Short mmCIF file of all heavy atoms in Angstrom, two decimals:
data_model
loop_
_atom_site.label_atom_id
_atom_site.label_comp_id
_atom_site.label_asym_id
_atom_site.label_seq_id
_atom_site.Cartn_x
_atom_site.Cartn_y
_atom_site.Cartn_z
N ALA A 1 -26.71 13.21 -12.46
CA ALA A 1 -25.58 12.83 -11.56
C ALA A 1 -24.27 12.57 -12.31
O ALA A 1 -23.25 12.51 -11.73
CB ALA A 1 -25.89 11.52 -10.77
N TYR A 2 -24.30 12.57 -13.64
CA TYR A 2 -23.12 12.20 -14.45
C TYR A 2 -22.10 13.31 -14.24
O TYR A 2 -20.91 13.05 -14.19
CB TYR A 2 -23.44 12.24 -16.00
CG TYR A 2 -22.34 11.94 -16.86
CD1 TYR A 2 -21.70 10.71 -16.98
CD2 TYR A 2 -21.78 12.98 -17.65
CE1 TYR A 2 -20.65 10.39 -17.72
CE2 TYR A 2 -20.69 12.68 -18.38
CZ TYR A 2 -20.08 11.46 -18.47
OH TYR A 2 -18.97 11.15 -19.27
N GLY A 3 -22.47 14.57 -14.08
CA GLY A 3 -21.43 15.61 -13.82
C GLY A 3 -20.84 15.50 -12.43
O GLY A 3 -19.80 16.08 -12.30
N LEU A 4 -21.44 14.72 -11.59
CA LEU A 4 -20.92 14.63 -10.24
C LEU A 4 -19.64 13.56 -10.22
O LEU A 4 -18.89 13.60 -9.26
CB LEU A 4 -21.85 14.19 -9.20
CG LEU A 4 -23.09 15.21 -9.12
CD1 LEU A 4 -24.16 14.50 -8.09
CD2 LEU A 4 -22.57 16.52 -8.47
N TRP A 5 -19.58 12.72 -11.15
CA TRP A 5 -18.60 11.75 -11.19
C TRP A 5 -17.29 12.31 -11.81
O TRP A 5 -17.12 12.48 -13.00
CB TRP A 5 -18.97 10.56 -12.04
CG TRP A 5 -20.22 9.87 -11.43
CD1 TRP A 5 -20.83 10.11 -10.32
CD2 TRP A 5 -20.97 8.87 -12.06
NE1 TRP A 5 -21.93 9.36 -10.11
CE2 TRP A 5 -22.01 8.58 -11.18
CE3 TRP A 5 -20.86 8.15 -13.29
CZ2 TRP A 5 -23.01 7.57 -11.49
CZ3 TRP A 5 -21.86 7.19 -13.61
CH2 TRP A 5 -22.74 6.92 -12.67
N ASP A 6 -16.29 12.67 -10.93
CA ASP A 6 -15.10 13.15 -11.36
C ASP A 6 -13.96 12.30 -10.77
O ASP A 6 -13.47 12.47 -9.62
CB ASP A 6 -14.97 14.61 -10.82
CG ASP A 6 -13.64 15.29 -11.33
OD1 ASP A 6 -13.12 14.81 -12.27
OD2 ASP A 6 -13.32 16.36 -10.67
N PHE A 7 -13.52 11.29 -11.62
CA PHE A 7 -12.61 10.37 -11.25
C PHE A 7 -11.23 11.01 -11.34
O PHE A 7 -10.21 10.40 -10.84
CB PHE A 7 -12.63 9.04 -11.94
CG PHE A 7 -13.91 8.25 -11.67
CD1 PHE A 7 -14.96 8.19 -12.51
CD2 PHE A 7 -14.02 7.55 -10.42
CE1 PHE A 7 -16.06 7.52 -12.16
CE2 PHE A 7 -15.08 6.89 -10.06
CZ PHE A 7 -16.12 6.80 -10.91
N MET A 8 -11.02 12.13 -12.05
CA MET A 8 -9.67 12.59 -12.17
C MET A 8 -9.21 13.37 -10.84
O MET A 8 -8.03 13.56 -10.66
CB MET A 8 -9.68 13.72 -13.27
CG MET A 8 -10.01 13.13 -14.62
SD MET A 8 -8.92 11.85 -15.10
CE MET A 8 -7.37 12.57 -15.31
N ILE A 9 -10.15 13.54 -9.96
CA ILE A 9 -9.73 14.13 -8.66
C ILE A 9 -8.99 13.10 -7.77
O ILE A 9 -8.23 13.55 -6.95
CB ILE A 9 -11.01 14.66 -7.93
CG1 ILE A 9 -10.68 15.40 -6.68
CG2 ILE A 9 -11.88 13.39 -7.35
CD1 ILE A 9 -11.03 16.73 -6.74
N LEU A 10 -9.09 11.81 -8.09
CA LEU A 10 -8.32 10.81 -7.45
C LEU A 10 -6.84 11.03 -7.49
O LEU A 10 -6.13 10.76 -6.57
CB LEU A 10 -8.73 9.41 -7.92
CG LEU A 10 -10.13 8.99 -7.60
CD1 LEU A 10 -10.51 7.66 -8.23
CD2 LEU A 10 -10.34 9.02 -6.09
N ARG A 11 -6.38 11.32 -8.70
CA ARG A 11 -4.97 11.57 -8.79
C ARG A 11 -4.49 12.74 -7.85
O ARG A 11 -3.41 12.58 -7.21
CB ARG A 11 -4.65 11.95 -10.28
CG ARG A 11 -3.21 12.12 -10.52
CD ARG A 11 -2.92 12.41 -11.98
NE ARG A 11 -3.27 11.33 -12.79
CZ ARG A 11 -3.75 11.39 -14.02
NH1 ARG A 11 -3.81 12.47 -14.58
NH2 ARG A 11 -4.14 10.22 -14.62
N SER A 12 -5.18 13.77 -7.78
CA SER A 12 -4.77 14.88 -6.93
C SER A 12 -4.93 14.48 -5.47
O SER A 12 -4.18 14.93 -4.53
CB SER A 12 -5.57 16.12 -7.32
OG SER A 12 -6.92 16.02 -6.98
N LEU A 13 -5.94 13.72 -5.16
CA LEU A 13 -6.09 13.28 -3.77
C LEU A 13 -5.00 12.40 -3.45
O LEU A 13 -4.51 12.48 -2.22
CB LEU A 13 -7.46 12.53 -3.59
CG LEU A 13 -8.65 13.30 -3.42
CD1 LEU A 13 -9.99 12.44 -3.27
CD2 LEU A 13 -8.64 14.25 -2.26
N TRP A 14 -4.56 11.57 -4.28
CA TRP A 14 -3.41 10.63 -3.97
C TRP A 14 -2.15 11.47 -3.68
O TRP A 14 -1.31 11.08 -2.80
CB TRP A 14 -3.18 9.70 -5.14
CG TRP A 14 -2.04 8.68 -4.85
CD1 TRP A 14 -0.82 8.78 -5.44
CD2 TRP A 14 -2.03 7.61 -4.05
NE1 TRP A 14 -0.03 7.77 -4.96
CE2 TRP A 14 -0.72 7.02 -4.07
CE3 TRP A 14 -2.98 6.99 -3.18
CZ2 TRP A 14 -0.34 5.91 -3.36
CZ3 TRP A 14 -2.59 5.86 -2.55
CH2 TRP A 14 -1.35 5.37 -2.59
N LYS A 15 -1.89 12.55 -4.46
CA LYS A 15 -0.77 13.29 -4.33
C LYS A 15 -0.80 14.26 -3.08
O LYS A 15 0.27 14.36 -2.44
CB LYS A 15 -0.56 14.21 -5.57
CG LYS A 15 -0.25 13.43 -6.86
CD LYS A 15 -0.04 14.41 -7.94
CE LYS A 15 0.28 13.73 -9.28
NZ LYS A 15 0.27 14.58 -10.40
N ILE A 16 -2.02 14.80 -2.78
CA ILE A 16 -2.05 15.67 -1.67
C ILE A 16 -2.19 15.01 -0.36
O ILE A 16 -1.43 15.25 0.63
CB ILE A 16 -3.30 16.62 -1.81
CG1 ILE A 16 -3.06 17.56 -3.16
CG2 ILE A 16 -3.46 17.45 -0.69
CD1 ILE A 16 -4.31 18.28 -3.60
N ARG A 17 -3.15 14.06 -0.19
CA ARG A 17 -3.39 13.39 1.12
C ARG A 17 -3.96 12.08 0.74
O ARG A 17 -4.99 11.88 0.33
CB ARG A 17 -4.26 14.25 1.93
CG ARG A 17 -4.39 13.81 3.30
CD ARG A 17 -4.85 14.90 4.21
NE ARG A 17 -4.98 14.24 5.63
CZ ARG A 17 -5.84 14.52 6.39
NH1 ARG A 17 -6.81 15.28 6.06
NH2 ARG A 17 -5.89 13.89 7.62
N LYS A 18 -3.23 11.00 1.20
CA LYS A 18 -3.68 9.61 0.92
C LYS A 18 -4.87 9.18 1.77
O LYS A 18 -5.56 8.36 1.40
CB LYS A 18 -2.46 8.69 1.04
CG LYS A 18 -1.42 9.02 0.05
CD LYS A 18 -0.33 8.03 -0.02
CE LYS A 18 0.78 8.37 -1.03
NZ LYS A 18 0.99 9.69 -1.29
N LEU A 19 -5.01 9.83 2.93
CA LEU A 19 -6.12 9.41 3.79
C LEU A 19 -7.43 9.96 3.16
O LEU A 19 -8.44 9.21 3.13
CB LEU A 19 -6.00 10.08 5.18
CG LEU A 19 -6.94 9.68 6.16
CD1 LEU A 19 -6.99 8.08 6.38
CD2 LEU A 19 -6.71 10.36 7.50
N ASP A 20 -7.43 11.10 2.46
CA ASP A 20 -8.64 11.51 1.80
C ASP A 20 -8.93 10.61 0.59
O ASP A 20 -10.19 10.37 0.24
CB ASP A 20 -8.46 12.93 1.30
CG ASP A 20 -8.57 13.92 2.35
OD1 ASP A 20 -9.07 13.63 3.47
OD2 ASP A 20 -7.97 15.03 2.26
N PHE A 21 -7.88 10.09 -0.10
CA PHE A 21 -8.07 9.13 -1.12
C PHE A 21 -8.82 7.88 -0.63
O PHE A 21 -9.70 7.37 -1.28
CB PHE A 21 -6.62 8.78 -1.63
CG PHE A 21 -6.65 7.76 -2.79
CD1 PHE A 21 -6.96 8.15 -4.06
CD2 PHE A 21 -6.36 6.52 -2.53
CE1 PHE A 21 -6.95 7.28 -5.12
CE2 PHE A 21 -6.33 5.50 -3.51
CZ PHE A 21 -6.57 5.89 -4.81
N LEU A 22 -8.37 7.47 0.60
CA LEU A 22 -8.98 6.22 0.98
C LEU A 22 -10.40 6.54 1.56
O LEU A 22 -11.31 5.71 1.32
CB LEU A 22 -8.14 5.75 2.32
CG LEU A 22 -8.61 4.56 2.99
CD1 LEU A 22 -8.54 3.35 2.01
CD2 LEU A 22 -7.78 4.24 4.27
N VAL A 23 -10.72 7.67 2.01
CA VAL A 23 -12.07 8.00 2.40
C VAL A 23 -12.98 8.05 1.21
O VAL A 23 -14.03 7.54 1.20
CB VAL A 23 -12.05 9.40 3.11
CG1 VAL A 23 -13.50 9.95 3.26
CG2 VAL A 23 -11.48 9.29 4.58
N TRP A 24 -12.41 8.49 0.06
CA TRP A 24 -13.20 8.60 -1.20
C TRP A 24 -13.57 7.16 -1.62
O TRP A 24 -14.63 6.89 -2.00
CB TRP A 24 -12.38 9.30 -2.26
CG TRP A 24 -13.16 9.63 -3.48
CD1 TRP A 24 -13.83 10.78 -3.75
CD2 TRP A 24 -13.45 8.67 -4.58
NE1 TRP A 24 -14.41 10.71 -5.02
CE2 TRP A 24 -14.27 9.48 -5.50
CE3 TRP A 24 -13.16 7.49 -4.89
CZ2 TRP A 24 -14.68 8.91 -6.72
CZ3 TRP A 24 -13.56 6.91 -6.09
CH2 TRP A 24 -14.37 7.58 -6.92
N TRP A 25 -12.62 6.28 -1.65
CA TRP A 25 -12.85 4.94 -2.04
C TRP A 25 -13.81 4.18 -1.09
O TRP A 25 -14.63 3.44 -1.59
CB TRP A 25 -11.54 4.13 -2.15
CG TRP A 25 -10.88 4.48 -3.47
CD1 TRP A 25 -9.74 5.08 -3.73
CD2 TRP A 25 -11.34 3.95 -4.75
NE1 TRP A 25 -9.44 5.15 -5.11
CE2 TRP A 25 -10.51 4.39 -5.87
CE3 TRP A 25 -12.47 3.24 -5.21
CZ2 TRP A 25 -10.58 4.30 -7.12
CZ3 TRP A 25 -12.63 3.08 -6.65
CH2 TRP A 25 -11.74 3.55 -7.49
N VAL A 26 -13.64 4.37 0.17
CA VAL A 26 -14.57 3.68 1.11
C VAL A 26 -16.00 4.19 0.84
O VAL A 26 -16.94 3.48 0.76
CB VAL A 26 -14.22 4.05 2.56
CG1 VAL A 26 -15.21 3.60 3.53
CG2 VAL A 26 -12.90 3.16 2.91
N SER A 27 -16.21 5.55 0.72
CA SER A 27 -17.41 6.06 0.38
C SER A 27 -18.13 5.60 -0.97
O SER A 27 -19.20 5.18 -0.94
CB SER A 27 -17.33 7.69 0.30
OG SER A 27 -16.82 8.21 1.54
N PHE A 28 -17.22 5.56 -1.92
CA PHE A 28 -17.77 5.11 -3.14
C PHE A 28 -18.16 3.58 -3.15
O PHE A 28 -19.26 3.32 -3.63
CB PHE A 28 -16.59 5.26 -4.24
CG PHE A 28 -16.94 4.72 -5.63
CD1 PHE A 28 -17.73 5.46 -6.43
CD2 PHE A 28 -16.46 3.53 -6.08
CE1 PHE A 28 -18.09 5.02 -7.68
CE2 PHE A 28 -16.72 3.10 -7.34
CZ PHE A 28 -17.63 3.81 -8.15
N PHE A 29 -17.31 2.71 -2.59
CA PHE A 29 -17.73 1.36 -2.63
C PHE A 29 -18.81 0.99 -1.72
O PHE A 29 -19.63 0.12 -1.88
CB PHE A 29 -16.47 0.45 -2.30
CG PHE A 29 -15.63 0.26 -3.57
CD1 PHE A 29 -14.33 0.77 -3.58
CD2 PHE A 29 -16.07 -0.31 -4.73
CE1 PHE A 29 -13.53 0.58 -4.65
CE2 PHE A 29 -15.27 -0.44 -5.87
CZ PHE A 29 -14.03 0.00 -5.78
N ALA A 30 -18.87 1.70 -0.47
CA ALA A 30 -19.97 1.48 0.45
C ALA A 30 -21.28 1.85 -0.18
O ALA A 30 -22.22 1.15 -0.03
CB ALA A 30 -19.74 2.30 1.71
N THR A 31 -21.31 2.94 -0.94
CA THR A 31 -22.52 3.44 -1.61
C THR A 31 -22.98 2.50 -2.81
O THR A 31 -24.06 2.20 -3.01
CB THR A 31 -22.42 4.87 -2.00
OG1 THR A 31 -22.08 5.61 -1.00
CG2 THR A 31 -23.73 5.35 -2.55
N LEU A 32 -21.87 1.96 -3.40
CA LEU A 32 -22.12 1.09 -4.63
C LEU A 32 -22.64 -0.18 -4.25
O LEU A 32 -23.58 -0.71 -4.87
CB LEU A 32 -20.78 1.01 -5.41
CG LEU A 32 -20.84 0.35 -6.71
CD1 LEU A 32 -21.70 0.99 -7.71
CD2 LEU A 32 -19.47 0.01 -7.25
N PHE A 33 -22.00 -0.83 -3.25
CA PHE A 33 -22.38 -2.20 -2.93
C PHE A 33 -23.44 -2.36 -1.79
O PHE A 33 -24.08 -3.37 -1.70
CB PHE A 33 -21.14 -3.01 -2.44
CG PHE A 33 -20.20 -3.25 -3.70
CD1 PHE A 33 -18.94 -2.66 -3.65
CD2 PHE A 33 -20.67 -3.91 -4.78
CE1 PHE A 33 -18.12 -2.94 -4.70
CE2 PHE A 33 -19.79 -4.16 -5.86
CZ PHE A 33 -18.54 -3.64 -5.79
N LEU A 34 -23.64 -1.30 -1.02
CA LEU A 34 -24.60 -1.32 0.00
C LEU A 34 -25.76 -0.28 -0.42
O LEU A 34 -25.70 0.13 -1.46
CB LEU A 34 -23.99 -0.86 1.39
CG LEU A 34 -22.83 -1.68 1.86
CD1 LEU A 34 -22.25 -1.05 3.11
CD2 LEU A 34 -23.31 -3.12 2.11
N SER A 35 -26.67 -0.11 0.43
CA SER A 35 -27.70 0.88 -0.01
C SER A 35 -27.11 2.33 0.10
O SER A 35 -26.15 2.46 0.76
CB SER A 35 -28.90 0.71 0.95
OG SER A 35 -28.58 1.12 2.25
N ALA A 36 -27.83 3.22 -0.44
CA ALA A 36 -27.32 4.63 -0.39
C ALA A 36 -27.30 5.16 1.02
O ALA A 36 -26.28 5.85 1.39
CB ALA A 36 -28.17 5.50 -1.24
N SER A 37 -28.25 4.89 1.90
CA SER A 37 -28.19 5.44 3.17
C SER A 37 -27.22 4.74 4.06
O SER A 37 -26.51 5.42 4.88
CB SER A 37 -29.65 5.30 3.88
OG SER A 37 -29.97 3.93 3.82
N THR A 38 -27.02 3.44 3.87
CA THR A 38 -26.01 2.75 4.67
C THR A 38 -24.57 3.21 4.19
O THR A 38 -23.68 3.39 4.99
CB THR A 38 -26.17 1.24 4.50
OG1 THR A 38 -27.46 0.79 4.85
CG2 THR A 38 -25.13 0.50 5.30
N GLY A 39 -24.43 3.36 2.88
CA GLY A 39 -23.11 3.83 2.42
C GLY A 39 -22.87 5.22 2.84
O GLY A 39 -21.67 5.53 3.27
N LEU A 40 -23.80 6.08 2.97
CA LEU A 40 -23.57 7.39 3.46
C LEU A 40 -23.19 7.44 4.90
O LEU A 40 -22.33 8.11 5.34
CB LEU A 40 -24.93 8.20 3.22
CG LEU A 40 -24.81 9.72 3.55
CD1 LEU A 40 -23.82 10.43 2.70
CD2 LEU A 40 -26.17 10.42 3.40
N LEU A 41 -23.87 6.63 5.69
CA LEU A 41 -23.58 6.56 7.14
C LEU A 41 -22.15 5.99 7.37
O LEU A 41 -21.42 6.41 8.20
CB LEU A 41 -24.60 5.72 7.87
CG LEU A 41 -25.97 6.37 8.02
CD1 LEU A 41 -26.84 5.33 8.65
CD2 LEU A 41 -25.83 7.59 8.88
N LEU A 42 -21.81 5.00 6.62
CA LEU A 42 -20.52 4.46 6.71
C LEU A 42 -19.47 5.41 6.20
O LEU A 42 -18.33 5.51 6.88
CB LEU A 42 -20.41 3.11 5.84
CG LEU A 42 -19.09 2.32 5.98
CD1 LEU A 42 -18.98 1.82 7.45
CD2 LEU A 42 -19.10 1.13 5.03
N ALA A 43 -19.66 6.15 5.18
CA ALA A 43 -18.75 7.14 4.72
C ALA A 43 -18.52 8.25 5.73
O ALA A 43 -17.49 8.69 5.97
CB ALA A 43 -19.24 7.75 3.41
N LEU A 44 -19.72 8.67 6.36
CA LEU A 44 -19.64 9.68 7.41
C LEU A 44 -18.85 9.16 8.62
O LEU A 44 -17.95 9.94 9.12
CB LEU A 44 -21.09 10.07 7.77
CG LEU A 44 -21.18 11.14 8.92
CD1 LEU A 44 -20.67 12.44 8.41
CD2 LEU A 44 -22.58 11.27 9.42
N ALA A 45 -19.10 7.93 9.03
CA ALA A 45 -18.32 7.47 10.16
C ALA A 45 -16.83 7.34 9.79
O ALA A 45 -15.92 7.68 10.72
CB ALA A 45 -18.90 6.04 10.55
N PHE A 46 -16.59 6.88 8.63
CA PHE A 46 -15.14 6.69 8.22
C PHE A 46 -14.46 8.10 8.15
O PHE A 46 -13.27 8.27 8.48
CB PHE A 46 -15.02 5.98 6.90
CG PHE A 46 -13.62 5.59 6.58
CD1 PHE A 46 -13.05 4.50 7.29
CD2 PHE A 46 -12.85 6.15 5.64
CE1 PHE A 46 -11.77 3.99 7.02
CE2 PHE A 46 -11.60 5.79 5.36
CZ PHE A 46 -11.09 4.70 6.05
N SER A 47 -15.17 9.13 7.65
CA SER A 47 -14.63 10.47 7.53
C SER A 47 -14.39 11.06 8.95
O SER A 47 -13.27 11.67 9.16
CB SER A 47 -15.63 11.38 6.84
OG SER A 47 -15.78 10.95 5.57
#
């Protein structure tokens, strides 16, 4: 999974569309602090 972590994309997301930037952060923190399935469902609902 190391290759999947691309934090440099955040800069381009911030420049292009701030709502996608927010979706990325909600998905990341929901998966990090909750379980993977709950984080995935929350990320899907937020998207």
